[in-house]
């Protein structure tokens, strides 16, 4: 059974600002996560239940945080490594 994709308002706002070429890169990353939900690095402590998948847009490393439920994939945030964990804890 395929997972249903849901996004947080934060994730949707970030993606909306991206160029079309970069949105395609994000779509490709989401497809990879859907194909293998355990591909990302599972976080511990304050961020338990959240996984982070790393990929590049224009040679810059981007972190995509997500959670996997029994029937859905929740896309939480998308940003550069700088301040990522501080912002995620909010």
């Amino acid at each position: 059974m395929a997972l249903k994709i849901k996004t947080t308002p934060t994730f949707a706002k970030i993606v909306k600002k991206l160029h079309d070429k970069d949105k395609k890169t994000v779509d490709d990353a989401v497809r990879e996560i859907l194909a293998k939900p355990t591909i990302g690095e599972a976080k511990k402590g304050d961020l338990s239940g959240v996984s982070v998948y790393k990929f590049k847009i224009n040679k810059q490393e981007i972190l995509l945080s997500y959670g996997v439920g029994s029937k859905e994939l929740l896309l939480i945030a998308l940003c550069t490594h700088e301040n990522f964990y501080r912002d995620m804890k909010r």
Side-chain angles (χ1 to χ4, degrees):
M1 187 181 122
L3 294 173
K4 184 175 179 179
I5 299 173
K6 289 193 172 185
T7 61
T8 62
T10 304
F11 183 87
K13 192 166 99 177
I14 294 165
V15 171
K16 190 176 180 181
K17 293 178 183 178
L18 294 175
H19 295 287
D20 287 343
K21 180 181 73 166
D22 299 338
K23 285 181 186 177
K24 184 182 177 330
T25 306
V26 172
D27 287 345
D28 291 343
V30 171
R31 280 190 201 94
E32 286 185 39
I33 293 168
L34 280 172
K36 188 177 178 191
T38 58
I39 197 169
E41 181 184 339
K43 294 296 160 193
K44 299 175 186 138
D46 293 347
L47 300 176
S48 64
V50 173
S51 294
V52 175
Y53 179 66
K54 297 177 183 179
F55 63 100
K56 292 193 187 271
I57 292 180
N58 299 328
K59 297 182 183 173
Q60 176 146 28
E61 187 171 59
I62 302 294
L63 282 71
L64 190 160
S65 60
Y66 65 96
V68 180
S70 59
K71 296 181 181 174
E72 69 181 28
L73 172 68
L74 177 63
L75 303 175
I76 301 168
L78 178 77
C79 63
T80 59
H81 191 277
E82 186 179 0
N83 302 327
F84 180 78
Y85 295 101
R86 181 198 69 197
D87 294 347
M88 279 295 298
K89 287 182 182 181
R90 286 188 187 158

